Amino acid sequence: ELEAYHEKVEVVNSLLAARKVPKSLVKKVRRYYSNVWSKASKLQEEGQILQELPFPLRASLAEHITMPLVNDVTSLSRISQRHWNQISRRFRPEWYPPGAFIAHPDGHGCGQGLSQEMDSLWLLERGEVACVKKGEKNSILVGPEVFGTSLILQMLDPDFPLETSFNTY
């Protein structure tokens, strides 16, 4: 894994040198790759471990991992333990690098298409999500927080159609 990282850095450095990118921008690009690589690999390992477990054990682990967040998120604080157990077992770990779009009204989010993004329920454990409309931050959600992408898009544009499906929690 470390070897793959170093190979990627060499490719990035070659590109930056060939394009004569200023040193200040080179530092930012390197910092970004360092940050993304370290966090992404840890999350991939966590996701792989969870997928290897049989569903009952994976569900129990998801309940344990997410339960402390329930009391920290106002909108979830009144959910019973029984109901949270049903909801939490559907969560899967994901990590997005800084600047990535999670959802977009035209479906340009994580690349899965509008309908899946619109049906998503997100539990932001830590970090922040900026809600942006026409380049301006309208709101920032700071973890722990729960949100649905369709609700954020409607918050940014009241005319945006709010649709749900049977996949919505």
Side-chain angles (χ1 to χ4, degrees):
E1 182 177 312
L2 189 57
E3 185 177 319
Y5 170 72
H6 287 296
E7 288 173 9
K8 182 68 171 186
V9 169
E10 283 182 34
V11 171
V12 170
N13 286 338
S14 295
L15 170 84
L16 298 173
R19 295 293 185 170
K20 298 179 179 154
V21 176
K23 286 184 181 181
S24 60
L25 187 52
V26 168
K27 285 182 183 179
K28 289 179 182 179
V29 171
R30 286 180 180 159
R31 209 172 319 136
Y32 174 83
Y33 270 99
S34 176
N35 185 23
V36 167
W37 199 274
S38 66
K39 290 182 180 178
S41 65
K42 288 177 187 175
L43 185 64
Q44 286 172 350
E45 288 173 4
E46 182 178 323
Q48 182 179 355
I49 290 168
L50 288 169
Q51 287 306 314
E52 291 170 353
L53 296 174
F55 178 75
L57 193 53
R58 183 172 61 239
S60 295
L61 190 55
E63 292 166 16
H64 172 78
I65 291 169
T66 59
M67 192 60 204
L69 301 172
V70 172
N71 295 328
D72 294 337
V73 178
T74 306
S75 59
L76 299 177
S77 61
R78 294 186 179 212
I79 293 178
S80 71
Q81 174 77 38
R82 184 174 65 86
H83 287 111
W84 184 252
N85 290 348
Q86 295 299 312
I87 293 169
S88 66
R89 60 186 56 198
R90 295 184 177 168
F91 284 114
R92 66 178 188 271
E94 292 192 34
W95 178 81
Y96 291 93
F101 283 92
I102 294 176
H104 189 280
D106 295 330
H108 304 111
C110 60
Q112 297 178 343
L114 184 61
S115 59
Q116 277 192 319
E117 293 168 7
M118 299 309 296
D119 287 344
S120 296
L121 175 68
W122 302 83
L123 180 58
L124 177 63
E125 183 178 11
R126 60 186 172 270
E128 49 184 55
V129 172
C131 304
V132 179
K133 181 178 181 182
K134 296 182 181 176
E136 295 181 24
K137 290 182 183 177
N138 292 59
S139 178
I140 294 182
L141 303 174
V142 179
E145 187 62 77
V146 66
F147 63 94
T149 53
S150 59
L151 297 174
I152 287 179
L153 292 171
Q154 190 177 50
M155 178 181 74
L156 295 173
D157 182 1
D159 296 327
F160 187 80
L162 180 61
E163 298 176 9
T164 59
S165 76
F166 60 90
N167 291 328
T168 305
Y169 300 90

